[in-house]
Amino acid sequence: MKAIVYYGPLDVRVSDKPDPKIEQSTDVLVQITTTNICGSDLHMYEGRTNMESGRIFGHENMGRVIEVGKAVTYVKVGDMVCMPFNIGCGHCRNCERKLTAYCLTLNPGFAGAAYGFAGMGPYEGGQAEYLRVPYGDFNCQILPEDANEKENDYAMLSDIFPTGYHATELAGVKPGESVVIYGAGPVGLMAALSARIKGADKIMVVDSQPDRLKLVEELGAIPIDTSKGSAVDQVLELTKGQGADRGCECVGYQCCNRHGQEQSNVTMNELVKAVKFTGSIGVVGVFVNEDPKSKEELQKKGHMDFDFGTFWMKGQSIATGQANVKSYNRELCALISSGKAKPSFIVSHELSLDEAPDAYKHFNTRDDGWTKVVLKPGKTSSKK
């Protein structure tokens, strides 16, 4: 099969790989129809993780079931399914508590497994023609009958829609509240959509990219353009000096200051300033325990210069971590099916697998108009 394979920093290629096979009786094989490039893929693409050469990328996957193991009873051949990026066993203590991002059995020595991701187990990614899904009954979300019609919407259930929703859950967003979201990338936009679904009164999204800020405005949120001045000052002005009730961090450790220079602590410290006394912050942007290629000495060890004194004096709280996708998928799927949520509004490009290496280059350099790329393994020509 064709697959997007990582060979080293800034080097992904379309390569031939063996088709996956049923290895355990609980496995499911899926023919991938849509697989997305995620912002967190870029950390690996740039060589800022310990991703091994020869691995297949792709943790945002959707497709049609073509084969099931003998022990699979719920998922059927022909079902259209979306796979949460976290792979869970379904029976460990954490999975039973719906903490599927922290499965205790599928990645021995570490809590959590995922497709095609550094440090998250040996599981190949889905930026390919086919994908093996362990514990298929548990890890496949069967989609409604309109799955083909709304494919780009349902594909967002694999990661970014539930991750954006998770940011608002961690932050504790409630109806009528104000929220400031750092990052207008795909996850930040999904956090804004989720805050709107929850009934937030004032949704402010911080970024510097004009194309992304335009999507913020189209969503009915307030764009905070860092190129026009301090984001904190703009938020305080919009909240009469009080700060936002809630804050969401949707960028991660490769965040940049207003001058475009990478500064790993900038979003966290600005959120402390931009969120009110006793407010809360949800962090879903990826932060790692080591980053040897960083120019910052602290960040090389996964540390940051965090303004804990101000954070403590303001009586704020922070919650962090990957989204437990299965905790949200059924409800978010229902919102898509009913037409109350259309997360595909962020999609800028639909491309074939052959076009993926070039797409990675454009997405990584934040070229204008490249907000979200979906790959279609069955596609032969590009369509923007």
Side-chain angles (χ1 to χ4, degrees):
M1 68 174 182
K2 285 184 178 181
I4 306 304
V5 179
Y6 174 75
Y7 289 97
L10 307 181
D11 184 6
V12 296
R13 308 173 209 165
V14 181
S15 302
D16 288 323
K17 284 281 193 176
D19 290 357
K21 298 179 180 180
I22 296 288
E23 297 179 17
Q24 303 290 335
S25 60
T26 51
D27 287 349
V28 164
L29 294 185
V30 175
Q31 181 179 14
I32 297 296
T33 56
T34 298
T35 177
N36 309 327
I37 298 178
C38 179
S40 58
D41 288 330
L42 299 182
H43 301 309
M44 297 182 291
Y45 175 70
E46 292 183 10
R48 297 287 289 273
T49 70
N50 60 353
M51 187 65 166
E52 306 95 338
S53 177
R55 293 282 305 279
I56 301 173
F57 272 176
H59 58 272
E60 297 188 12
N61 307 310
M62 174 180 168
R64 180 175 291 103
V65 175
I66 58 171
E67 188 177 349
V68 300
K70 292 181 180 179
V72 176
T73 60
Y74 175 58
V75 176
K76 309 296 183 186
V77 171
D79 284 343
M80 287 295 291
V81 294
C82 181
M83 281 64 68
F85 77 90
N86 354 87
I87 311 172
C89 67
H91 56 257
C92 73
R93 183 174 183 177
N94 281 351
C95 284
E96 286 180 348
R97 296 167 61 208
K98 297 185 178 181
L99 301 175
T100 53
Y102 303 93
C103 176
L104 296 170
T105 66
L106 291 185
N107 189 9
F110 189 83
Y115 303 99
F117 207 88
M120 301 295 284
Y123 308 97
E124 294 292 8
Q127 289 177 13
E129 293 179 302
Y130 302 97
L131 178 69
R132 170 183 166 250
V133 180
Y135 291 100
D137 274 340
F138 186 70
N139 289 303
C140 289
Q141 172 73 40
I142 298 176
L143 299 170
E145 293 182 357
D146 59 356
N148 291 321
E149 175 190 346
K150 298 179 178 179
E151 186 157 337
N152 286 350
D153 292 302
Y154 288 121
M156 303 305 158
L157 289 173
S158 58
D159 181 356
I160 62 168
F161 192 11
T163 294
Y165 193 88
H166 187 56
T168 66
E169 284 285 288
L170 292 176
V173 175
K174 297 177 182 177
E177 292 187 326
S178 60
V179 57
V180 57
I181 298 164
Y182 268 73
V187 171
L189 290 168
M190 291 298 100
L193 173 61
S194 299
R196 190 182 73 181
I197 290 169
K198 287 186 167 192
D201 176 55
K202 185 172 291 182
I203 305 167
M204 300 161 281
V205 186
V206 178
D207 209 294
S208 62
Q209 298 289 114
D211 55 336
R212 295 181 174 189
L213 291 170
K214 182 179 179 182
L215 289 173
V216 170
E217 199 166 15
E218 290 176 2
L219 189 60
I222 302 170
I224 303 293
D225 188 347
T226 58
S227 69
K228 295 182 178 179
S230 164
V232 173
D233 289 345
Q234 294 180 64
V235 171
L236 291 176
E237 183 177 357
L238 287 165
T239 57
K240 298 181 180 180
Q242 298 299 307
D245 294 305
R246 314 288 178 177
C248 297
E249 204 290 339
C250 300
V251 185
Y253 71 104
Q254 285 190 260
C255 55
C256 296
N257 60 29
R258 56 179 297 196
H259 304 295
Q261 300 164 328
E262 196 171 303
Q263 183 180 338
S264 62
N265 66 349
V266 66
T267 54
M268 291 301 301
N269 283 342
E270 289 204 4
L271 275 164
V272 169
K273 296 175 183 177
V275 171
K276 72 176 186 179
F277 281 74
T278 71
S280 53
I281 300 167
V283 184
V284 295
V286 174
F287 287 86
V288 293
N289 57 3
E290 61 177 359
D291 178 19
K293 294 187 179 180
S294 174
K295 295 180 180 179
E296 304 173 48
E297 289 303 314
L298 285 174
Q299 178 56 28
K300 287 180 181 179
K301 300 177 181 179
H303 301 170
M304 70 165 66
D305 182 3
F306 178 60
D307 189 1
F308 190 82
T310 302
F311 170 72
W312 188 91
M313 290 298 294
K314 293 183 76 171
Q316 295 172 336
S317 60
I318 291 179
T320 71
Q322 293 184 347
N324 304 294
V325 172
K326 285 184 67 66
S327 294
Y328 310 118
N329 258 14
R330 289 188 182 277
E331 291 78 9
L332 297 181
C333 181
L335 290 177
I336 292 173
S337 182
S338 67
K340 293 181 179 179
K342 190 174 177 60
S344 66
F345 79 92
I346 66 171
V347 174
S348 58
H349 294 77
E350 290 186 14
L351 303 173
S352 66
L353 280 181
D354 290 331
E355 296 168 293
D358 187 57
Y360 265 97
K361 293 177 183 178
H362 286 291
F363 195 41
N364 188 54
T365 54
R366 311 297 193 273
D367 287 347
D368 187 56
W370 290 77
T371 53
K372 185 64 175 178
V373 178
V374 298
L375 303 174
K376 306 284 186 178
K379 189 178 179 63
T380 57
S381 60
S382 63
K383 178 182 178 182
K384 186 172 180 179

